Amino acid sequence: MTTTRFAPSPTGRLHVGNIRTALHNWMLAQIAGGEFILRIDDTDAARSKEEYVDAIRADLAWLGIEAAREERQSTRLDLYQSAFDTLREAGRIYPAYETQQELELKRKVLLGRGLPPIYDRGALEMSDEERAAKEAEGIQPHWRFKLDHAEQIAWTDGVRGPAKFDPALLSDPVIRRANGSWLYMLPSTVDDIDMGVTQVLRGEDHVSNTAVQIQMFTALGATPPEFAHEALLVGTEGKLSKRLGSLGCDSFRERGIEPEAIIALLARLGTSLPVEPIADRAALLESFDLSTFGRAPAKFDDADLDRVNTAIVHAMEYDAVKPRLPDGMDEAGWHAVRPNIAAIPEVGEWWRLVTGPIDNLEFTDEDRAFLGQAAGALSAAFASGDAPWAALTSALKEATGRKGKALFLPLRQALTGMNHGPDMGELLPLIGEEVARRRLDRVAG
Ligand code: GLU
C-alpha cells in the first residue's frame, strides 16, 4: 500500500509552498488508493506552538486535504531513543563536543582554503580521557550520525531522475542536541520506517537530507522509501520568502480565493500540464503524474491564482455558494451577478444594485424626459412576460427613436446608479416593477 505524509513543523503558518507539498502527497496517496498521514514535526519544543498545530489542521481542512490520521513526533520520543541506542551500539552515532564557535571557525578555515566546509570528524579522534575531560568541564556532547564513506548513495528520484552522492562529501549530521532534544533527521527516518511510508515527496532543499537519511534507513535495517524532490516555488520577483505571510490560507480566504482555485493551480504549477480552472478533483487526480514535473523552479504568480479563481467562481452553481451569498439573494440573483465578479466577496457590491440604496447620478433634461417616458412604459413591459427589459427597451426604441448607448445607458444609470454592471435583462426582473418605477420617477423630469 502507498503511504505518504506531509510533515510540517508547527513553527509558523502554512504558506503556498507547504500547501503544494501537502497537496502533492495527498494526491499521490489518492491516486494509489493509499494513505496520507499528517505528521506534526514538533520535536523543537521551544519553537513549536499549539496555535500553529491548530492552524495547520484548519488550513488543511479548508483546502479539503484530508489526512487518514495525524501523528505527533513529541509523543514518539521513546522510539527515537531506541533507534539512537541501536545506532550508537552499532557505532553509527558518536558524541561531539565542539562549540558553535569552534565549528564556525573550522568552516571558515576550510572555505578560506577553497575547500567544501565538511565536518572533519574531529570528535572521532578524541580519546576517552579527552572526552572525560570535556564532561568534567561540564560540557555535554551533541551527537552526530556517522556516514559510511564506503557506501555510495544513489536513488532514482521521482522528479529528478538518477541521483548520486558521495558520503565523503557530506558532513556527519548532528542528530541530537546536547540538551537531549532531537533534530529533524533521525526522528523523520524512524517515523517513515515505523509508519510504513512508501513515498517521500518534498522540496528539493531536502535532497542532501535524503542522501543522509538513505544511510540511516539502511543502518536501521530498513529499505528506504521512494524519494521525489520537487523544484521550489519562486515568486514573480524571485524568492517567495519575503512575502510568505501573504501567501497563506487566511489571506487567500480574505481575498475570496476559493480552495479549489488554490488546488487547481498548485496541482499543476511546475508541471508540463496546463494550469486550468479545474474544480473537479477527480479530474486533477487523473492527470497527476510525477513524470510531468519539471526541474526548473515553478513560478507562483498571484495573477494566475486570480485568473483560475475567477473562472472557477464563474462556473460555480448556486447550491454550492448559497450559504455565502447575501440574505435574500436567490438563484436568479446569483446568475445575474456571477459574470461580474472575480471572487465571491464581490457579490455584495453588485447585489446592492437590486436591494439598494443606489447612487444618485446627474441626468440632462433630455434624458430626464426620456426616463419619465420609461417610467410610463414600465407596467406594460412587466405585464408582457418574463423579459421586461427587452420589452421596455424595444417599446422605448420605437417611441423615441433612441438606440444603442443613448437608449440603454440612461436606463441603466437610473435603475442601478452605475454606468456598468450585470446584464440588465437579468437585473430588471430582480429589481422588480415597483422599485424600478420609484428609481425612474426619482430622476425623471
Ligand atoms: N519537518 C520537515 C520540514 O518541514 C519535514 C521534511 C520532510 O518532509 O521530511 O522541512
Side-chain angles (χ1 to χ4, degrees):
M1 177 164 99
T2 296
T3 301
T4 64
R5 86 302 194 271
F6 170 53
S9 309
T11 54
R13 294 295 301 261
L14 298 184
H15 59 71
V16 73
N18 312 127
I19 295 169
R20 175 166 168 257
T21 305
L23 173 68
H24 291 167
N25 278 289
W26 177 82
M27 292 179 92
L28 280 178
Q30 291 291 307
I31 53 177
E35 198 169 74
F36 166 71
I37 301 171
L38 170 61
R39 188 185 85 200
I40 304 291
D41 282 5
D42 57 350
T43 54
D44 187 345
R47 290 177 60 228
S48 297
K49 291 212 168 81
E50 207 52 34
E51 66 183 271
Y52 293 132
V53 177
D54 292 339
I56 289 167
R57 287 189 197 118
D59 287 347
L60 293 178
W62 181 67
L63 291 160
I65 299 176
E66 206 182 316
R69 58 182 215 269
E70 182 185 305
E71 301 280 1
R72 289 185 78 137
Q73 290 198 321
S74 57
T75 65
R76 302 170 54 80
L77 303 179
D78 290 352
L79 276 168
Y80 312 146
Q81 181 64 52
S82 106
F84 178 89
D85 294 342
T86 307
L87 292 174
R88 193 172 169 205
E89 224 152 277
R92 297 299 297 271
I93 287 180
Y94 60 92
Y97 296 85
E98 293 94 341
T99 62
Q100 277 305 329
Q101 291 89 318
E102 284 168 327
L103 290 171
E104 203 38 55
L105 192 64
K106 288 186 188 202
R107 277 174 60 85
K108 281 201 181 127
V109 169
L110 288 169
L111 287 170
R113 287 197 214 132
L115 294 169
I118 303 166
Y119 175 60
D120 63 3
R121 292 187 157 175
L124 279 178
E125 312 292 313
M126 289 172 82
S127 63
D128 287 348
E129 292 74 45
E130 285 169 319
R131 274 193 289 269
K134 287 281 182 193
E135 298 199 14
E137 279 175 53
I139 301 174
Q140 291 298 312
H142 54 276
W143 302 86
R144 288 186 185 260
F145 176 74
K146 188 177 170 204
L147 288 162
D148 180 353
H149 286 183
E151 188 192 310
Q152 292 299 301
I153 303 163
W155 74 92
T156 305
D157 194 285
V159 172
R160 299 159 63 89
K164 258 199 202 122
F165 271 84
D166 178 353
L169 300 178
L170 297 169
S171 294
D172 288 341
V174 177
I175 55 154
R176 198 172 193 180
R177 300 184 187 89
N179 68 6
S181 68
W182 299 98
L183 284 120
Y184 150 76
M185 211 70 96
L186 182 65
S188 180
T189 307
V190 169
D191 286 344
D192 286 337
I193 296 170
D194 186 61
M195 295 172 196
V197 170
T198 58
Q199 264 175 296
V200 172
L201 172 63
R202 53 193 180 190
E204 68 181 6
D205 49 334
H206 281 288
V207 168
S208 60
N209 289 343
T210 294
V212 167
Q213 287 177 329
I214 283 178
Q215 284 212 351
M216 286 184 178
F217 278 99
T218 315
L220 289 166
T223 309
E226 287 171 28
F227 285 100
H229 297 85
E230 46 189 6
L232 297 182
L233 278 188
V234 294
T236 37
E237 301 111 33
K239 278 189 107 174
L240 273 185
S241 50
K242 282 177 256 157
R243 23 180 323 246
L244 283 182
S246 66
L247 296 174
C249 288
D250 278 357
S251 106
F252 290 143
R253 202 170 14 220
E254 268 161 40
R255 262 169 59 197
I257 300 292
E258 302 298 315
E260 294 311 328
I262 300 167
I263 301 291
L265 177 65
L266 295 183
R268 291 191 169 183
L269 197 61
T271 75
S272 56
L273 301 169
V275 169
E276 289 168 337
I278 300 174
D280 174 12
R281 286 196 194 199
L284 287 173
L285 286 169
E286 212 167 289
S287 57
F288 186 73
D289 184 350
L290 286 187
S291 71
T292 64
F293 280 60
R295 289 193 57 173
K299 201 169 272 177
F300 175 81
D301 186 347
D302 261 332
D304 290 334
L305 185 57
D306 286 331
R307 182 173 55 77
V308 172
N309 193 59
T310 302
I312 282 182
V313 166
H314 288 179
M316 279 170 88
E317 289 309 332
Y318 175 64
D319 283 341
V321 289
K322 200 167 147 185
R324 295 159 64 197
L325 298 181
D327 280 348
M329 186 170 184
D330 59 5
E331 186 160 3
W334 169 240
H335 282 278
V337 164
R338 186 172 68 171
N340 287 74
I341 59 170
I344 307 271
E346 293 168 23
V347 161
E349 284 163 44
W350 296 113
W351 187 237
R352 188 179 56 85
L353 306 192
V354 171
T355 58
I358 60 165
D359 294 344
N360 249 331
L361 301 183
E362 295 284 322
F363 294 92
T364 62
D365 288 348
E366 214 181 318
D367 279 347
R368 292 172 58 224
F370 166 67
L371 293 166
Q373 256 177 303
L378 256 192
S379 40
F382 271 92
S384 71
D386 55 9
W389 174 253
L392 178 70
T393 49
S394 68
L396 287 171
K397 182 177 181 182
E398 204 160 301
T400 65
R402 286 193 183 223
K403 54 185 188 212
K405 201 173 159 192
L407 173 66
F408 296 113
L409 187 59
L411 289 170
R412 174 184 284 285
Q413 290 173 325
L415 288 166
T416 69
M418 292 197 56
N419 298 318
H420 66 283
D423 182 75
M424 287 302 297
E426 295 191 54
L427 222 44
L428 185 55
L430 297 167
I431 293 170
E433 184 178 343
E434 199 185 317
V435 173
R437 175 165 305 104
R438 236 185 290 138
R439 291 181 184 178
L440 289 172
D441 283 344
R442 188 173 63 161
V443 293

